Amino acid sequence: MPQNRRKRTWRPLFAPSLRTKLILIMLSVSMSLVTLLVFFYYQTEKDLFNEFQRQTSELSKAVQIGLEGAAVKNINDAKSLEKYLTSLNAKGIKEISVISSSDRILASTSRENVGKWISQRRKEMIFKAELGEPVTGEGMTYNVVIPVVSGQNTVGYIHLTLSAEDFSAFLRLSVLRRMAAAVVILAVGTVLTVLLAGRYIRPIDQMVKVAGKVAAGDLDQKLPTDRRDEIGALARSFNHMVSRLRLDRDLRERLRTAEHLAGIGQVAHSVAHEIKNPLNFISLSIDHMGEVYRPSDPEQAARFESMVRNIKGEIERIGRFAESYLEYGRPLELKRQRTSLTEIVDSVLEMVAARATLDRFSIRKEYAILPELNVDPEFIRTCLYNLVINAFDAMPAGGELVVSGEAKPQWVALSFADNGSGVDAELAEKLFEPYVTAKSKGLGLGLALTRKIIEAHGGRIDYRPAAQGGSIFTLHLPVSEEGIA
């Protein structure tokens, strides 16, 4: 027979576990979040740098204008200062004022302040500037006071009012960008986590339902095992556990059946042993009555002899049943000897020849000279006789029995094929079990005893339905005593 080749299944080189997948997702989310935050931080720093550069450029320009104003012949030349101030791009600078040494505003980008005296607050700023603190911050506004020196004398001051609102706008925009990036990344991570959770929750829910059915006693449940992760391993372990439970259930049922049959067998063995002697006495009494009380009238004598034969036949049948019980329950002690299997088969067929002729059975032999085997001839003869009688019983209206043999170097096969009613498929599965029979008058021990004897010889017995109806029983006996593998 060709050997079954194991189906090769493809396994991935790297099958990440659930823990690894979760860690990878968290690392991906964290790395993405850090990357975007670093990017936006760099972009914000760049924008801030550009804005500061612009503001510094304008501040430098303002200082340059102030210095040019101070370099004129007279700082009190209002027209020259106005010209310089109007040439300044005031974006980012709220106000530029030129203050004289006498604390009066000579020029300003805010024309309503021109000619006014400075406030006490500005005087404090000028005082701090002379002490080395030119910058004063008030909320989002910064004041810068720059003294204008000509030679050794301070001829005036330049007051710059800068607004930090532009920088705050950049900072707010940067914060909003970072928050938006974090929300997007968290949303993506959440979606991936939900998808991954759904992928693992569905089979777990299925496993819970199947486990509930198994707990309720339904051991025919099975989980799919096509996954290569922890869920697949758990499903395979679950299926293995259920298969072990099924095996345990079958073993317990067999044990319960065996205990039941053992009890019945003990009772039947005792009954069979007890009725053998009374049956012998009844049989002898019937023989005596047949001789003493035979009627003289030929017609009545014929009916009387028929009745006596029927009674003796029933007594013999009960005796055979009792003997079957005793033989099945008795340990087999084989008395092996070299015996021609052909002679055993011929002797059995010769024993049933009279019944075959009476009940219209034809027996066709399809075997040549079979080899000699080291067997117990009486036990083998009993097996063959049981099979032939079963074939006759399966053909109540007559039929054909084909006996065929085949010899191989390691074993010998002997088949008995009838064209009777056959065996139901449900009954065929337990045909060789004790007390299983399809006959209304049978006890179901013949085939069980036959299997016991054949297996004790190291062989086996098989059943299969015939193609055209009927049954085929085949005995396989080993040529040597080692048995059939």
Side-chain angles (χ1 to χ4, degrees):
M1 296 177 64
Q3 296 182 351
N4 294 329
R5 296 182 178 178
R6 179 178 296 178
K7 185 178 179 180
R8 301 181 63 182
T9 57
W10 179 84
R11 292 179 179 269
L13 296 178
F14 176 69
S17 63
L18 174 60
R19 180 172 178 269
T20 303
K21 291 179 180 179
L22 292 176
I23 291 176
L24 289 176
I25 288 179
M26 296 305 298
L27 287 177
S28 300
V29 172
S30 301
M31 291 295 295
S32 301
L33 182 60
V34 169
T35 302
L36 282 179
L37 291 179
V38 169
F39 171 77
F40 284 120
Y41 178 80
Y42 170 77
Q43 189 67 29
T44 302
E45 291 291 327
K46 183 178 179 181
D47 293 340
L48 284 175
F49 175 78
N50 293 334
E51 183 65 16
F52 272 111
Q53 187 177 28
R54 184 181 65 81
Q55 294 283 12
T56 303
S57 176
E58 292 184 356
L59 179 61
S60 300
K61 186 176 181 181
V63 173
Q64 182 181 5
I65 292 173
L67 292 176
E68 289 178 354
V72 296
K73 294 181 179 180
N74 189 356
I75 195 172
N76 295 319
D77 188 352
K79 291 183 179 180
S80 299
L81 292 175
E82 185 72 21
K83 180 180 178 181
Y84 288 124
L85 293 180
T86 54
S87 65
L88 178 64
N89 182 11
K91 184 177 180 182
I93 301 177
K94 296 177 65 176
E95 183 181 357
I96 302 178
S97 300
V98 178
I99 305 172
S100 68
S101 59
S102 60
D103 298 336
R104 189 171 184 176
I105 299 175
L106 299 178
S108 176
T109 54
S110 299
R111 293 185 178 183
E112 66 273 11
N113 293 330
V114 176
K116 294 181 180 182
W117 300 97
I118 64 173
S119 63
Q120 182 63 31
R121 178 170 160 275
R122 287 196 179 187
K123 290 180 180 181
E124 293 175 357
M125 293 179 187
I126 291 174
F127 179 73
K128 289 182 179 180
E130 290 179 347
L131 294 178
E133 296 182 13
V135 180
T136 303
E138 296 180 355
M140 302 298 293
T141 303
Y142 293 89
N143 295 285
V144 181
V145 177
I146 304 173
V148 180
V149 179
S150 178
Q152 299 296 327
N153 299 321
T154 301
V155 296
Y157 303 93
I158 296 177
H159 180 203
L160 302 175
T161 303
L162 304 177
S163 175
E165 291 181 357
D166 294 337
F167 302 135
S168 299
F170 280 115
L171 293 177
R172 285 195 298 270
L173 180 60
S174 175
V175 171
L176 291 176
R177 287 178 178 176
R178 295 176 188 179
M179 291 177 61
V183 169
V184 170
I185 293 175
L186 290 177
V188 173
T190 303
V191 171
L192 292 178
T193 304
V194 169
L195 293 177
L196 183 63
R199 172 176 168 81
Y200 282 90
I201 287 176
R202 281 191 297 271
I204 291 176
D205 290 339
Q206 182 183 9
M207 190 173 298
V208 170
K209 294 178 181 178
V210 172
K213 294 180 180 179
V214 171
D218 185 5
L219 299 182
D220 295 327
Q221 299 295 320
K222 189 175 182 181
L223 291 172
T225 57
D226 53 342
R227 300 174 65 112
R228 299 298 176 186
D229 51 12
E230 289 89 344
I231 299 297
L234 182 60
R236 287 187 287 274
S237 299
F238 182 86
N239 290 340
H240 178 69
M241 178 192 69
V242 174
S243 65
R244 295 297 298 270
L245 290 176
R246 283 197 297 267
L247 179 61
D248 181 68
R249 179 192 61 185
D250 296 340
L251 289 176
R252 282 189 280 109
E253 290 180 354
R254 292 178 190 173
L255 179 61
R256 191 161 44 245
T257 303
E259 292 176 350
H260 177 68
L261 294 178
I264 295 177
Q266 291 178 357
V267 174
H269 186 273
S270 300
V271 172
H273 187 271
E274 290 297 327
I275 66 175
K276 283 188 67 178
N277 292 332
L279 287 177
N280 290 333
F281 174 75
I282 293 173
S283 180
L284 293 175
S285 299
I286 292 297
D287 291 338
H288 177 71
M289 291 173 60
E291 294 177 0
V292 175
Y293 299 102
R294 179 184 290 109
S296 58
D297 182 66
E299 184 177 351
Q300 293 181 355
R303 287 199 299 269
F304 180 79
E305 290 177 358
S306 175
M307 184 181 299
V308 169
R309 283 196 304 271
N310 291 335
I311 294 174
K312 287 183 64 66
E314 292 300 314
I315 293 175
E316 291 176 358
R317 186 173 68 85
I318 295 175
R320 286 197 301 272
F321 289 161
E323 190 65 28
S324 296
Y325 274 121
L326 293 175
E327 288 183 359
Y328 186 76
R330 184 187 304 126
L332 295 179
E333 295 181 2
L334 301 181
K335 298 179 181 179
R336 294 177 180 266
Q337 61 186 45
R338 299 297 296 181
T339 306
S340 171
L341 187 58
T342 305
E343 292 180 1
I344 297 177
V345 176
D346 290 340
S347 65
V348 170
L349 297 181
E350 184 178 350
M351 281 194 309
V352 300
R355 180 182 173 183
T357 302
L358 182 63
D359 295 337
R360 300 185 303 277
F361 296 125
S362 63
I363 299 176
R364 181 154 53 99
K365 300 179 181 180
E366 293 184 355
Y367 59 88
I369 298 178
L370 300 175
E372 291 186 354
L373 302 178
N374 191 21
V375 296
D376 187 317
E378 295 304 321
F379 276 127
I380 297 299
R381 187 175 286 107
T382 300
C383 294
L384 303 185
Y385 181 79
N386 286 337
L387 294 177
V388 172
I389 295 302
N390 285 343
F392 287 171
D393 292 340
M395 300 181 292
E400 183 183 41
L401 173 65
V402 179
V403 181
S404 58
E406 181 183 10
K408 295 290 184 180
Q410 301 296 327
W411 47 266
V412 177
L414 197 61
S415 297
F416 296 81
D418 63 71
N419 56 359
S421 56
V423 180
D424 294 338
E426 182 178 355
L427 185 63
E429 297 179 358
K430 47 185 179 180
L431 192 59
F432 296 98
E433 297 180 6
Y435 311 110
V436 175
T437 180
K439 296 184 291 185
S440 59
K441 298 181 180 181
L443 295 178
L445 290 176
L447 289 177
L449 179 61
T450 299
R451 183 178 69 173
K452 184 177 179 181
I453 294 174
I454 296 301
E455 290 180 352
H457 283 82
R460 71 175 189 269
I461 180 172
D462 300 326
Y463 161 79
R464 71 178 188 276
Q468 303 299 327
S471 303
I472 301 176
F473 289 89
T474 304
L475 301 178
H476 298 268
L477 291 171
V479 174
S480 63
E481 296 185 21
E482 296 179 357
I484 300 175

